[in-house]
Each structure stands twice: as structure tokens, then as C-alpha cells.
Amino acid sequence: MRYLSAGLLLICLFAACSPTESIQEETESEEEMPVPEEEVTEAPDWYDGQVFSAADSVSFFGFSMASSPDSSEAAELSVETALQNLRFEIDRHAENTRISLAEEDADGEYSQPGFIVNLRNAVREMELEVYELDHEHEESDSGVHYVYTRAVLERDQLPGIFESHLADERFLERLQELE
């Protein structure tokens, strides 16, 4: 009898907590609500919102888009983000170079924690003053400024940037090779 009354109590509890309408109907009513149209800006051909950094046989790239009611704030944020994304791409290339060298010489210095830390510090501290910046600016009808930025660093400049942080000729030469 005790289990029967406990079972009935659970059934009553579940019945009291269940919704009176089906969940499918709620979803449909939410979809029927009008969504305000967003203003669409014209992005440059080189910008893809899903690609933040890239590299080809000639250069490394960092991309960004920032928006703000203040055009200078949008420009500043866009440049800063593009440079961070460029630094990420350079770091990826440097790490792939280190891994390649470590595979050739498994017990060599390229597998040692000290070299890895120095490499990370070099990427973090490097001055990216030799980059090229491309800007595109759009302003929406509501006064929002969209700034697209592409930061470019030529591949042949990379060893010179690393040289002041790492004095390893083999690593610097390998940096120029394609992945």
C-alpha cells in the first residue's frame, strides 16, 4: 500500500508540473514573431567573418571587424584585434617550424621546455611595426561604424623580427620555408 500511494503521488506531481500546451506550439509562436531587419554592411572582398588569420606563400594575415557608434573607437579596436590575429598566425607558423625541427632531432634543443618558453616569449614580445594595414570603413544608417582591418606581414620579414629574440640560425632559416 505504501508503494501504491507513493506511485500515485509521483504521478500527480508529474501531471501538475507538465505544461498545458504542447511544446511544439510554443516554438511555432516564437518563430512567428517578426524579427527586426538588421542593417547589412558591405564587407571587403578579403574579409570573411569566419577566418581570423591566414597565411600564404608570400604573407601572414590577421583579419578583424569592429563596430561602434564612435568611428575612432571602432578603428582602434579593429586594428588591435587584427594585430592579435596576425600574431596568432605567426605563432602557429613558429610552432609548426619548431615541431618540424624537433621531429628531425628528437633529443635536440627544439624539444626542450626552455626553447619552447623562449619561442612563446619571442612571439609575445615581437614588435609588429613592419606590417601593412588595410582598412575599410562603413557607416550604417543608424550611425554605427564598421571598420574592417587586414594586417599583413610578408613572410621574408619574419626571421628579422625573430632575430632579436632568438639567436638560432637553423630555426630562423626554417621559418622562411612553407608549411
Side-chain angles (χ1 to χ4, degrees):
M1 183 71 176
R2 187 170 83 190
Y3 293 112
L4 180 62
S5 58
L8 287 173
L9 182 63
L10 280 176
I11 291 172
C12 290
L13 180 65
F14 284 127
C17 293
S18 66
T20 56
E21 297 178 20
S22 70
I23 294 175
Q24 183 65 26
E25 290 176 28
E26 288 178 21
T27 305
E28 289 174 4
S29 66
E30 289 176 5
E31 290 175 3
E32 292 173 5
M33 292 177 25
V35 177
E37 291 185 26
E38 294 182 18
E39 298 176 26
V40 179
T41 62
E42 185 78 25
D45 293 337
W46 46 260
Y47 181 77
D48 180 353
Q50 297 178 355
V51 177
F52 302 108
S53 64
D56 62 18
S57 61
V58 178
S59 302
F60 297 98
F61 304 94
F63 305 100
S64 70
M65 186 279 293
S67 61
S68 174
D70 179 16
S71 63
S72 62
E73 183 179 315
E76 184 179 320
L77 181 59
S78 184
V79 167
E80 182 181 315
T81 304
L83 291 176
Q84 289 174 359
N85 291 337
L86 175 63
R87 192 177 302 277
F88 173 80
E89 190 64 32
I90 291 168
D91 184 47
R92 181 183 356 209
H93 179 67
E95 178 61 14
N96 289 340
T97 301
R98 185 199 66 78
I99 289 170
S100 171
L101 289 167
E103 288 172 351
E104 290 175 9
D105 187 16
D107 295 330
E109 69 177 305
Y110 302 108
S111 299
Q112 301 300 316
F115 184 82
I116 296 170
V117 169
N118 287 339
L119 182 60
R120 293 291 151 267
N121 289 338
V123 170
R124 188 183 74 237
E125 296 169 0
M126 72 174 44
E127 296 292 327
L128 293 177
E129 294 179 7
V130 292
Y131 58 85
E132 171 188 335
L133 288 175
D134 294 326
H135 292 287
E136 294 280 333
H137 176 259
E138 297 286 330
E139 184 176 359
S140 69
D141 294 337
S142 62
V144 176
H145 297 270
Y146 295 89
V147 178
Y148 301 89
T149 303
R150 174 176 59 177
V152 182
L153 179 71
E154 292 182 15
R155 192 176 282 269
D156 62 354
Q157 293 174 324
L158 194 58
I161 294 172
F162 268 102
E163 197 170 41
S164 63
H165 300 284
L166 291 174
D168 187 316
E169 287 299 320
R170 184 175 173 204
F171 182 81
L172 296 175
E173 287 175 11
R174 184 67 64 93
L175 272 175
Q176 289 184 308
E177 296 178 13
L178 295 176
E179 296 174 354

